């Protein structure tokens, strides 16, 4: 199931928003107390740079939890391409509530839009036979949020945690006594879960194929080894490239004749937040 339809995501939104608000207003908002409760205002949020808009549900949840009197109106849709200085959100309601929720709302928007934008920038510049995936290298506490943002940017999700997929790496292989016994043990333990094996040589690749691995991650393969790997009897998306890849490194990689997965931690861990601004006007 895509993270975009996952019920866990809805729960994640509620809990992360609650935590973010608690960081700010656990003991109240003393500055907002300067403003009378009956003062109404409108606010407009703009982006100062091009971006892929992401994070609407978090903003809506912030003001739902703070005060449902605040009206949230979107001038662009989730996943839209925004241009510099474009207004994409208006808020109307009690001024003190808008200002209390401002920072939390912008934090989610700038972070998730940054993740979606980074993903989009890579997806738009690589060969369509590359399927870009995220990793578990996410901001602690925001994994589901960032993985959602990756899908908004045109990427795909790898495993969510350590529970929804087997990823058998070098140390697992050593501890299990080899690739084949590791895959066999995985099939016996949780036959419903996909099994991926990380390999470092063509010999290991062939063993993982013979063992019936669903996915095979080739870690830091050379140019020639990748060309040889592409000649194996692979299914679409069965092979996965990994190992500190960035856009330049991927563009220098030999283009695969069939779709391969590319897991790239940079799209979530090397985050550059989008520069946003909110301006409020008293009614």
């Amino acid at each position: 199931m895509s993270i975009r339809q996952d019920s866990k995501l809805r729960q994640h939104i509620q809990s992360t928003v609650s935590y973010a608000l608690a960081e700010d207003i656990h003991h109240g908002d003393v500055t907002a107390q300067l403003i009378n409760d009956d003062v109404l205002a409108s606010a407009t949020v703009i982006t100062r740079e091009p971006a892929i808009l992401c994070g609407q549900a978090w903003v809506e949840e912030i003001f739902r939890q703070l005060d449902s009197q605040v009206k949230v109106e979107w001038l662009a849709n989730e996943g839209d391409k925004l241009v510099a200085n474009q207004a994409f959100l208006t808020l109307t309601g009690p001024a003190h509530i808008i200002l209390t929720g401002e920072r939390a709302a912008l934090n989610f928007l700038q972070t998730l839009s940054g993740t979606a934008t980074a993903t989009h920038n890579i997806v738009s510049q690589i060969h369509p036979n590359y399927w870009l995936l995220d990793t578990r290298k996410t901001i602690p506490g925001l994994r589901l949020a960032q993985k959602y943002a990756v899908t908004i940017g045109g990427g795909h999700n790898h495993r969510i945690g350590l529970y929804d997929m087997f990823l058998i790496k070098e140390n697992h292989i050593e501890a299990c006594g080899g690739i084949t016994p590791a895959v066999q043990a995985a099939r016996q333990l949780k036959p419903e879960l996909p099994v991926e094996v990380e390999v470092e040589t063509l010999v290991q690749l062939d063993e993982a194929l013979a063992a019936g691995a669903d996915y095979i991650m080739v870690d830091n393969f050379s140019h020639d080894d990748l060309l040889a790997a592409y000649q194996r009897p692979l299914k679409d998306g069965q092979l996965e490239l990994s190992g500190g890849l960035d856009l330049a490194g991927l563009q220098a990689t030999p283009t695969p004749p069939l779709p391969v997965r590319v897991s790239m931690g940079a799209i979530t861990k090397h985050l550059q937040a989008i520069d946003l601004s909110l301006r409020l006007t008293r009614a």
Side-chain angles (χ1 to χ4, degrees):
M1 178 183 292
S2 169
I3 191 65
R4 294 173 68 172
Q5 288 87 38
D6 196 337
S7 61
K8 292 182 180 178
L9 179 62
R10 293 190 293 272
Q11 298 171 5
H12 177 72
I13 293 170
Q14 294 173 357
S15 62
T16 53
V17 164
S18 295
Y19 187 83
L21 290 175
E23 288 182 319
D24 270 339
I25 58 172
H26 179 65
H27 297 292
D29 181 352
V30 295
T31 311
Q33 291 174 18
L34 301 174
I35 306 166
N36 291 335
D37 292 352
D38 60 354
V39 174
L40 301 179
S42 62
T44 301
V45 181
I46 68 167
T47 175
R48 297 191 182 279
E49 58 185 316
I52 301 297
L53 175 58
C54 184
Q56 290 184 335
W58 283 261
V59 174
E60 292 168 359
E61 180 65 17
I62 283 168
F63 290 104
R64 187 193 70 80
Q65 291 191 21
L66 283 175
D67 190 331
S68 60
Q69 293 183 71
V70 174
K71 180 182 178 182
V72 179
E73 182 178 1
W74 297 99
L75 308 179
N77 296 317
E78 190 88 330
D80 280 358
K81 297 179 182 179
L82 305 178
V83 299
N85 299 314
Q86 179 177 344
F88 63 89
L89 168 64
T90 62
L91 303 166
T92 55
H96 71 289
I97 297 297
I98 293 174
L99 293 174
T100 293
E102 172 186 0
R103 185 69 266 158
L106 294 186
N107 282 348
F108 281 115
L109 282 172
Q110 69 185 18
T111 299
L112 300 186
S113 295
T115 302
T117 302
T119 303
H120 170 78
N121 288 344
I122 293 174
V123 169
S124 64
Q125 297 182 70
I126 59 177
H127 193 279
N129 274 358
Y130 291 121
W131 296 348
L132 182 64
L133 280 73
D134 51 32
T135 70
R136 291 189 299 117
K137 297 174 182 177
T138 53
I139 298 172
L142 288 181
R143 176 166 298 164
L144 292 188
Q146 281 197 286
K147 282 183 172 284
Y148 164 82
V150 165
T151 69
I152 293 298
H156 304 273
N157 296 143
H158 205 287
R159 59 180 178 161
I160 304 301
L162 296 175
Y163 55 87
D164 58 333
M165 178 180 181
F166 290 100
L167 180 46
I168 301 169
K169 297 189 175 185
E170 176 186 7
N171 290 331
H172 301 101
I173 293 169
E174 175 65 25
C176 290
I179 289 174
T180 301
V183 172
Q184 290 174 344
R187 296 297 189 200
Q188 292 175 0
L189 180 63
K190 293 282 186 179
E192 73 279 9
L193 294 183
V195 177
E196 180 166 10
V197 178
E198 182 181 44
V199 302
E200 298 176 331
T201 67
L202 290 169
V203 172
Q204 287 186 325
L205 171 61
D206 291 335
E207 184 180 355
L209 278 171
D214 298 299
Y215 304 106
I216 302 171
M217 178 188 294
V218 293
D219 187 29
N220 291 305
F221 264 33
S222 68
H223 185 282
D224 290 344
D225 281 351
L226 273 180
L227 288 176
Y230 292 162
Q231 301 307 310
R232 273 26 182 201
L234 299 164
K235 301 174 184 177
D236 286 359
Q238 187 176 15
L239 196 69
E240 180 178 327
L241 310 187
S242 182
L245 286 171
D246 57 13
L247 177 59
L250 190 56
Q251 289 175 331
T253 298
T255 303
L258 78 170
V260 301
R261 298 162 22 126
V262 179
S263 54
M264 190 177 294
I267 56 177
T268 52
K269 70 171 183 172
H270 296 166
L271 178 66
Q272 180 173 336
I274 301 300
D275 188 6
L276 306 176
S277 176
L278 180 147
R279 284 298 181 92
L280 180 140
T281 301
R282 180 170 169 154

